[in-house]
Amino acid sequence: MAELGDFPLPSTDADRPRALVQRCPRHAVTPLVRSDALAQRLGLGSLWLKDERNRMGLGSFKALGAAYVIACDAAEGDVSGVTYVTASAGNHGLSVAAGARAFGARAVVYIAETVPESFAERLRAEGAEVVREGTSYEASMEAAAAAARTKSWQLLSDSSWPGYMARPHRLMEGYLVLIDEVIREMPQVPSHVFLQAGVGGLAGAAAALMRARWGDAPLIAVVEPEAAPALAASIAAARPVVTEGPVSDMGRLDCKEPSWIALRGLARDADVFLTISEEEGHRGAEIAADAGFATTPSGAAGLSGLIAAADAKALGLDATVCALIILSEGPEG
């Protein structure tokens, strides 16, 4: 993709974020769990779940992203007078808020009109100022970017686009912590990995480190909602594209534009791009809950993609398979 030529590939330097995150009082390695019940249900040899539902008490893997960027800024100088602004469809805003509060900075989070008030209250509880603007994540992001320009605030997005690369690249580097934990604990290299994606930050970081450590061995599948297939559509078009669609119940993944850094990495590292319906998303969350892993349709989307592929007898899924998924958030979303 020629348009992505100026963008960096995702980082594979897990040592730096691991060393910094280990200094956080909230830090603890999250569980890697083998579920024989789910493997049997899907006709697989084994299924492993990386459980991010209580990462640092914030309820999702996103705790490793924005807070890591702010910690890096603080290591380079005083941030007590800095205002970090972002848009959030979910847990990214909590990470910005928690990171800002930890280092004495200010956080302003723009959310769309469709985001539940319960999430706005969670943001406020972490110390963020919440501003509602727009009917979609993309509209909220435009408002946050405009505020950053006019008020000299620091924009801290989990996506990237032309002219905005450094912070999202570092943010994705923070996600390497959880992938490094997986790689250190897995008893074998998985044959199949299913990664849910919104703008693609987690999937891009995960795929990059897995390729660096595991080579070509795993089949890496990226899973998006049918309502927001930004990565799949961009790969098909061989260029970044903006997609259209209804609002998805997989709200954390309901992103109509890809992160350009993530897209560049996934174009190299992923094997398959899948989309799942709203019904499939809910079914995956229900099956996860039945197995003792309560989460949301967004948090279970990797599992939902695996289930859909297993039902279709696709991607070589059989009793010889060792599969890996990430439960990306808790049931509160």
Side-chain angles (χ1 to χ4, degrees):
M1 296 185 185
E3 296 93 333
L4 302 178
D6 292 335
F7 278 75
L9 287 161
S11 173
T12 56
D13 180 7
D15 292 340
R16 181 168 64 169
R18 184 176 64 247
L20 191 58
V21 167
Q22 284 176 345
R23 287 187 249 157
C24 175
R26 291 187 178 187
H27 172 67
V29 175
T30 55
L32 178 68
V33 182
R34 174 172 171 158
S35 176
D36 292 334
L38 281 174
Q40 184 175 9
R41 179 169 185 165
L42 299 178
L44 308 178
S46 60
L47 174 58
W48 294 84
L49 303 89
K50 179 60 168 172
D51 188 352
E52 291 292 301
R53 293 178 299 160
N54 195 35
R55 172 70 72 172
M56 294 186 181
L58 292 181
S60 87
F61 76 96
K62 293 274 188 174
L64 294 167
Y68 168 67
V69 176
I70 296 173
C72 289
D73 288 353
E76 297 168 0
D78 183 16
V79 298
S80 60
V82 175
T83 295
Y84 292 94
V85 61
T86 193
S88 182
N91 299 298
H92 169 66
L94 289 172
S95 187
V96 174
R101 184 165 70 171
F103 294 99
R106 177 182 175 222
V108 179
V109 181
Y110 282 72
I111 61 174
E113 296 167 6
T114 52
V115 174
E117 182 60 22
S118 59
F119 177 68
E121 289 300 322
R122 289 180 66 195
L123 287 168
R124 295 185 187 106
E126 285 290 340
E129 177 185 335
V130 178
V131 180
R132 282 193 182 272
E133 187 154 347
T135 58
S136 67
Y137 167 79
E138 288 73 24
S140 297
M141 180 52 70
E142 289 178 9
R149 289 192 298 270
T150 59
K151 300 179 180 182
S152 298
W153 292 348
Q154 291 293 327
L155 182 66
L156 183 42
S157 173
D158 58 353
S159 190
S160 59
W161 53 82
Y164 187 72
M165 290 184 265
R167 289 187 178 277
H169 188 264
R170 178 169 279 183
L171 183 145
M172 287 176 63
E173 187 176 75
Y175 297 156
L176 297 178
V177 171
L178 78 93
I179 308 305
D180 181 68
E181 291 173 1
V182 170
I183 292 170
R184 288 169 181 269
E185 293 187 28
M186 279 290 292
Q188 66 185 97
V189 176
S191 59
H192 293 66
V193 180
F194 287 76
L195 302 167
Q196 58 266 60
V199 297
L202 172 62
L209 191 59
M210 288 175 183
R211 290 294 182 225
R213 300 274 186 88
W214 285 338
D216 295 333
L219 181 148
I220 297 178
V222 177
V223 183
E224 298 175 280
E226 286 181 352
L231 292 161
S234 296
I235 291 294
R239 60 180 176 83
V241 299
V242 178
T243 57
E244 296 182 356
V247 174
S248 173
D249 289 342
M250 290 169 271
R252 309 297 181 256
L253 309 181
D254 191 9
C255 304
K256 311 302 188 191
E257 302 180 42
S259 167
W260 287 40
I261 294 172
L263 178 60
R264 185 175 183 213
L266 289 168
R268 177 193 66 180
D269 297 326
D271 296 298
V272 180
F273 291 80
L274 308 174
T275 59
I276 54 173
S277 67
E278 298 298 294
E279 180 182 358
E280 287 169 333
H282 281 284
R283 180 172 177 241
E286 291 166 3
I287 289 173
D290 288 344
F293 302 101
T295 185
T296 64
S298 296
L303 175 62
S304 299
L306 170 59
I307 293 168
D311 286 348
K313 302 189 185 310
L315 304 182
L317 294 170
D318 58 27
T320 68
V321 160
C322 172
L324 169 67
I325 65 162
I326 298 171
L327 291 172
S328 59
E329 68 178 14
E332 297 300 318

